[in-house]
Each structure stands twice: as C-alpha cells, then as structure tokens.
Amino acid sequence: MERILPEAAERIFLLNASPEEVYRYLREHTQTPMAFGYALSDDLQKELVSRAEPIVDLALAQFCDSEEVINEILAKDDKDLRVAVLANHNRLRPIKLFRDLDTGLLPEKVFDQLLSNGDGFELLAFFGNPRLEMDVLADVFARNGNYSDLQDERWMMMVIAALRNPQLRQDRQFRDFVDGYDMYRHHRPFGEIYKLLLRIEPSPRWATNLYREIFELAEWKPDAEGALANTGEEMPELLYGESAGDSSKDWHESHKRGEELYLKQLLKHWKTPTPKGDEYRDPKYGESHDWMREAIVSRLPSHSNLIEKMFTYNDVWVRKGAYRAIEPSSPEELDRFYERDGLDFLEAAIRNPSFFRNYSDSAAAISLKLHDLVWYAERKPEDNTESDFTRDQYDGQLKRLHEADPSIFPLNPEAFERPDPDDVADVDPGHAAFKNIERVRAEISDLSRNMQHSGGFKELSGIVNKLSDMVAGQSQVSQETFAALEERVLARIDDSRREVNSNFWVLILFLIFLVLVGAAIKFI
C-alpha cells in the first residue's frame, strides 16, 4: 500500500495516537513487502517501542520488520508477543542467521527454543506463516538439517503445523512463477510430503493427525522415481534439444508407471489394521486409515487416468476419494455412481465443486442431477437415517460455493433444467408474463423443499417445477402438453391428499400456481 501521510506527519500521528489507533494503522499499512510499497522506518519503529505500551508492542511484533525492535520485544519474554513475532508476515529483509536457513527476523536463540520447547501455538505461528520459505517446509517434511535429530513426537508436531501453511493450499499456475527455480522451490515441499507418507509408520496417531491436512493439499506430487527404484527400475534420463530423441516419451511413460505403482504402494501402506481383541470398528463410518486412503486418492488431478482405475477397487474409501477428484462427464455417470455406492457417493461428491458448476448446459445438467439424487432419490434402508445429514451438507456446500463465485455456483440448481425442445417454442423474453417469474420460482422452490420428506409429493413437485421451468425458460408450452401435465397434477393431488391430510393447504397452493401458469401460457 502506498504511503498516505508524509513521513513527518505519520511520525507525529503514530507517536500521539492511542494504542488502538496505532494497531489499526500498522495493520492496514504495513502488509506490502518493502520492495513494492510501504514500510515504517527503523527510527520510527524504535520510537514506537519506547512508548512501552502493550498494544503498541503487539502491533510492532505482528506487523513491523526492524531487527533491533523485534529483538527488544522478544527480550520481554512474553509468550503472546513471541507468537506475534513468529506469525509476522512482513519478512522483508531475510537474514541467513545460521546453518544456511532463512528464518527472516528470527534470532538463532529464539529458533532453537522453538524447536526444543515451542508449544502448538508457537509452532503453528511460525510453520504456518505464509511468508515462510518453501525450503524450510521441505526440510521439515524431509527431516533434514535442523529437524534431523528431533524426537519423533516433536517432529510430528512440526509436520502437522507445516502442513497447515497456506502456501500448500494454493493452486499456483505456471504464469505465477518468476522462473524455473521459483517453480522448483514451490513444488519441492509437495514432493517431500508424498515421500513422507510412504516413509512414516502408518500408525493410528499419524493417520488421525494427517488425513485432514492431506485433503487440503493443492498438488499431487507422487514419488514415481522412488516407487520404480523399489522394483529395480530406473527412470530414463530426460534429454533436451537435438539429442532428445524419444527421451521425453520414454520418460513420461516411465513416470506414468511409477505414479501408478507409487499409489498402489501408498494405499497398501495405509490399509486399515485388523481390530485387536474386543475392539469394535463401524465399517460405515470408517476410521482414520480409511479417511487417509480417501484423502490420498482425492488429491489425484481430475484429468488423471488413475481415477478410473480407482473405481475398480473393492474399497469404498478409495472410490470415495475418486468421487472427490473426478470431473463428472454426464448425469448418467452420477446414476451409475449412486447405484453402486448410494450415500457414500453423495457424501464424497458434495465435497467436489465440479458437481456444482453451471458454466455450460452439460455442467448444469450434472449439477441438477446431484441435487435430485440428494433430495429425491430412493434410499437403501440402511441409508435412510443419514439422508437429512447429507442434505444439510449439500446445502452448506452450495452456500459456500455460491458466496465464493455466484456466477458459477447459483443457489437454485433446479433452475438449471432445460425444457424439452419438442414441447416449446420461443417467445419474447420481454413479455409481461415473465416479469415476476423469479419470485414465483423462489416460492415453488421453498414449497418443494418443505415437501421433500413426503414421498407422495415427489412427482407432483417435479411436474410443477417442469411447468415453471418452461415459463422461466421464456418458452411457450403447447396446449396438448399443458393438458397432459394438468391431468397428471390433478391425479397426484387426489393420491397425495389421501397420503398426508396435514399438507392439504400446500396442495391448494400448488393448484393455485398451476392455474396461474396455465393462464399465463394461454395469455401468451
């Protein structure tokens, strides 16, 4: 951010402002690296720390970059201030203080204390800092350098903290990198993570601590070379220029074999252990090893040919991971998935944004199919008790996606349905009959949602929605089609009234809507 006050005026303001105003000012104006924008001078930072006010000290610890001021704050031996320093994003002047490790403004003594005695808050503040060098994260996962002599429990704490670093959850594109070395440094921690997963003991403690973090990883970087080496095969050298020949083709084919081999080894490594003694495990809800396998497979790129192979596994957790990774191709594909795995498929698909998108007619059809499977599909007897929970999950995910990007994730998937081209003809979209159609659709959607628990109303709801979709789609229904639909609605009203008398007034509202739609169509 650009400086908004002349330096002299800024000094007068900060030295006389209340501690709360100083905190707000520094928070808002010191978030940009020095090379590209605003920063306080060292002299002004020293004057601020001389105020000896806790909130000003916290602001300096959290947002400023003077090495001398940071050391003075750390000398106070206050844990809260130390955590603020560890989480400081303004690592503007990296200093290689020791052992060739870039720790920014962190003195060697403080870093050593962090490794030996730092608690969970301190570890998460430092290893979760989004300005931390990616090489530091890679060394943690590889257990190299400063981390090689740590006790197993201590190292596990640092691995979990490092896995929560936001940089590991960012899907950076090729254009985001400065050069090839920048790209290498970014990818390196991911490669070390996947090596770690095959290297550590697959204990329940590791599985419990890891699976949530694996679900959040932005990249899939399997150790294909290591997997091939375990079988005695070496990766061919990748050549460039005139001497390249078929080396690129050979390398990619070898890497493809190694990737599949690595995945098989990893899934076997994290197989669910046999229960001991009287230990009981519910296969429906699974346990940490099951969730690990699901998390691992869920990281596969949507274009990977390995996803289809995961559906051949007689392991529902592997298949659930594939559902979270796949880019669905058609509504019929969702029917096949649901027929095989029922709610297990739905629970996994709900966590895959690809099932919710509306960037094309085919994507909208897939989103509508997921909506219908969640709300209306027939359940297996053992799944009935979980239906409400799955619907709540669906609604929550749709709301989150809509808030992130309303243009791709509309809140009303039922509006995606397209009318049958044989039943409709184009009309003027500016016609008065369509002025309030969105309000009508919203009312019908609410009514449908309220009625979804009553099986007798499903067909009625679908028929009325089809009628409203036809009008919402700015189309005119033929008289023959409308008459046929009207006859079906009246028949279902009689059946539904006998099934659930308490919903009589809901039926009346549907009938009124039907009459209004019929009038609008005839008017057109």
Side-chain angles (χ1 to χ4, degrees):
M1 179 176 293
E2 297 297 328
R3 185 181 299 278
I4 64 172
L5 289 175
E7 190 168 353
E10 180 180 63
R11 176 178 177 277
I12 293 173
F13 170 74
L14 290 175
L15 293 180
N16 292 278
S18 69
E20 293 78 12
E21 288 175 326
V22 172
Y23 185 92
R24 283 193 294 269
Y25 187 89
L26 295 185
R27 180 183 61 191
E28 295 171 4
H29 299 96
T30 60
Q31 296 299 297
T32 305
M34 181 183 297
F36 303 100
Y38 173 90
L40 290 182
S41 68
D42 281 6
D43 289 340
L44 180 52
Q45 292 182 53
K46 293 174 186 177
E47 289 186 273
L48 284 172
V49 78
S50 69
R51 290 183 56 166
E53 294 178 277
I55 294 180
V56 174
D57 287 347
L58 177 62
L60 292 168
Q62 194 170 351
F63 305 121
C64 293
D65 70 319
S66 167
E67 182 179 358
E68 184 176 340
V69 168
I70 292 295
N71 285 336
E72 185 173 342
I73 290 173
L74 290 171
K76 297 177 184 290
D77 199 24
D78 182 295
K79 179 184 173 181
D80 294 331
L81 291 177
R82 187 166 61 250
V83 170
V85 170
L86 294 171
N88 189 322
H89 293 188
N90 292 320
R91 312 178 68 79
L92 307 181
R93 294 177 294 180
I95 304 170
K96 293 186 180 298
L97 295 172
F98 61 100
R99 305 176 209 147
D100 294 326
L101 176 64
D102 182 358
T103 59
L105 300 175
L106 201 61
E108 179 177 353
K109 179 181 178 181
V110 175
F111 184 76
D112 287 341
Q113 290 176 343
L114 176 71
L115 294 187
S116 59
N117 302 312
D119 64 16
F121 291 107
E122 293 172 296
L123 293 176
L124 186 58
F126 179 73
F127 291 109
N129 191 320
R131 293 283 181 86
L132 191 65
E133 292 290 337
M134 294 292 271
D135 287 337
V136 176
L137 298 176
D139 284 343
V140 173
F141 302 134
R143 209 171 184 175
N144 288 337
N146 299 295
Y147 315 98
S148 59
D149 296 329
L150 295 173
Q151 296 293 322
D152 289 347
E153 185 72 14
R154 192 77 189 150
W155 177 61
M156 179 190 289
M157 291 178 66
M158 294 180 193
V159 168
I160 302 306
L163 281 169
R164 296 179 183 177
N165 191 293
Q167 296 177 94
L168 300 178
R169 305 182 181 197
Q170 295 172 356
D171 187 15
R172 293 180 64 182
Q173 305 299 314
F174 181 81
R175 63 180 178 274
D176 298 327
F177 297 105
V178 176
D179 52 29
Y181 184 62
D182 182 37
M183 183 185 297
Y184 161 77
R185 293 178 70 197
H186 176 77
H187 292 325
R188 185 181 164 222
F190 293 98
E192 296 297 343
I193 289 170
Y194 288 103
K195 290 178 183 178
L196 174 150
L197 293 180
L198 201 53
R199 187 176 71 245
I200 59 177
E201 178 189 0
S203 66
R205 182 166 173 75
W206 265 115
T208 301
N209 281 288
L210 281 177
Y211 78 89
R212 292 185 183 88
E213 315 310 330
I214 302 304
F215 272 126
E216 300 294 331
L217 287 179
E219 295 188 16
W220 164 253
K221 290 293 176 185
D223 183 18
E225 185 173 358
L228 289 174
N230 291 336
T231 66
E233 181 180 349
E234 293 185 1
M235 289 278 289
E237 185 179 0
L238 184 60
L239 303 176
Y240 299 92
E242 296 180 357
S243 59
D246 292 331
S247 71
S248 177
K249 179 181 177 182
D250 295 341
W251 186 91
H252 282 94
E253 289 179 352
S254 183
H255 187 276
K256 196 174 180 179
R257 289 195 306 275
E259 181 180 4
E260 183 174 359
L261 186 59
Y262 166 83
L263 183 54
K264 289 180 178 179
Q265 293 172 356
L266 195 57
L267 293 176
K268 182 179 180 180
H269 188 68
W270 289 100
K271 67 180 180 180
T272 304
T274 303
K276 299 178 181 179
D278 296 333
E279 182 181 3
Y280 172 75
R281 292 177 184 163
D282 190 330
K284 181 175 179 61
Y285 297 104
E287 55 93 41
S288 55
H289 286 78
D290 300 323
W291 305 328
M292 270 294 292
R293 296 195 304 282
E294 180 183 359
I296 289 165
V297 176
S298 75
R299 298 304 88 200
L300 290 172
S302 59
H303 60 271
S304 174
N305 65 337
L306 291 177
I307 293 179
E308 287 297 326
K309 295 183 179 182
M310 296 300 99
F311 292 130
T312 66
Y313 275 64
N314 189 28
D315 181 343
V316 68
W317 300 99
V318 170
R319 297 197 301 273
K320 286 179 72 172
Y323 295 139
R324 293 178 70 149
I326 195 173
E327 184 81 32
S329 60
S330 69
E332 292 73 25
E333 188 176 48
L334 273 66
D335 283 327
R336 293 194 299 272
F337 293 154
Y338 182 75
E339 182 178 358
R340 179 171 189 182
D341 288 317
L343 278 189
D344 285 321
F345 158 65
L346 294 181
E347 290 171 358
I350 286 169
R351 291 170 171 82
N352 183 347
S354 298
F355 286 91
F356 290 84
R357 291 174 182 153
N358 183 29
Y359 54 82
S360 66
D361 286 356
S362 59
I366 290 170
S367 182
L368 179 63
K369 171 58 69 173
L370 178 65
H371 172 273
D372 288 348
L373 290 174
V374 169
W375 284 99
Y376 306 126
E378 183 178 353
R379 299 284 188 255
K380 299 176 183 177
E382 63 270 23
D383 286 342
N384 278 330
T385 58
E386 300 296 322
S387 289
D388 287 346
F389 178 67
T390 302
R391 289 164 182 151
D392 289 342
Q393 287 183 312
Y394 173 88
D395 283 346
Q397 175 74 322
L398 181 58
K399 182 178 179 181
R400 286 188 292 271
L401 293 172
H402 176 75
E403 290 173 351
D405 192 339
S407 65
I408 296 181
F409 303 107
L411 275 178
N412 183 15
E414 290 177 306
F416 297 168
E417 189 173 15
R418 301 294 187 262
D420 187 340
D422 294 332
D423 290 339
V424 301
D426 292 336
V427 296
D428 179 11
H431 198 285
F434 300 114
K435 285 186 177 180
N436 296 320
I437 194 63
E438 287 304 319
R439 177 181 58 79
V440 174
R441 280 202 53 77
E443 293 172 359
I444 289 303
S445 179
D446 289 342
L447 287 172
S448 300
R449 182 63 52 84
N450 292 333
M451 293 175 64
Q452 52 82 21
H453 292 295
S454 176
F457 292 124
K458 290 176 185 174
E459 185 181 351
L460 175 62
S461 174
I463 294 171
V464 175
N465 275 325
K466 184 172 183 180
L467 283 172
S468 85
D469 281 343
M470 288 176 176
V471 180
Q474 301 170 354
S475 306
Q476 183 175 5
V477 185
S478 67
Q479 293 298 316
E480 294 79 7
T481 300
F482 178 75
L485 290 171
E486 184 180 43
E487 182 178 353
R488 289 175 61 193
V489 169
L490 293 174
R492 289 304 300 148
I493 286 176
D494 289 336
D495 293 340
S496 299
R497 183 186 296 172
R498 286 192 294 270
E499 289 174 11
V500 187
N501 291 329
S502 62
N503 283 296
F504 174 77
W505 289 108
V506 176
L507 294 172
I508 293 297
L509 289 173
F510 270 104
L511 188 57
I512 292 172
F513 171 78
L514 185 62
V515 172
L516 291 174
V517 172
I521 293 170
K522 293 174 182 178
F523 175 71
I524 293 172

